[in-house]
Amino acid sequence: MRQTWTVVTGGEISPREAEVMELVGAHLSNAEIAARLCISVRTVESHVSSLLRKLEVPDRRALARRALTPARPAPVLPTPLTSFIGRVSERAELTEMIKAYR
């Protein structure tokens, strides 16, 4: 699941910057990020510098910590219209169908 990032100061983070930030959060090197995203190492360095400036964090380690805490909470899923409570036989039938026809 992709996270959406909004920055109060310095504007918004681009989708590519969000991808770089996610991979920095996964502790990948610039070379590993470049290979994963099919871009140059210099471009990764540029995105990291831009993120440090936009997020006003001092270093890559702080950026990695920030990558783990998105600015917005994840969207809430809607309440289901029906439930499976009390449908033991239907659930058992579905389980068998999935096993047989997967």
Side-chain angles (χ1 to χ4, degrees), residues 12-54:
E12 289 190 4
I13 294 174
S14 72
R16 178 61 87 185
E17 288 173 332
E19 289 176 322
V20 169
M21 187 167 175
E22 183 179 328
L23 295 172
V24 166
H27 304 291
L28 273 69
S29 69
N30 286 353
E32 291 169 325
I33 294 170
R36 178 94 41 107
L37 299 178
C38 300
I39 58 178
S40 72
V41 174
R42 179 66 189 116
T43 301
V44 174
E45 292 169 357
S46 176
H47 285 308
V48 170
S49 295
S50 177
L51 287 164
L52 292 172
R53 187 180 66 257
K54 287 180 179 181

Side-chain angles (χ1 to χ4, degrees), residues 24-25 27 48 52 57-68:
V24 166
H27 304 291
V48 170
L52 292 172
V57 293
D59 56 25
R60 189 181 177 98
R61 183 174 295 185
L63 184 61
R65 281 193 304 268
R66 185 79 181 264
L68 300 175

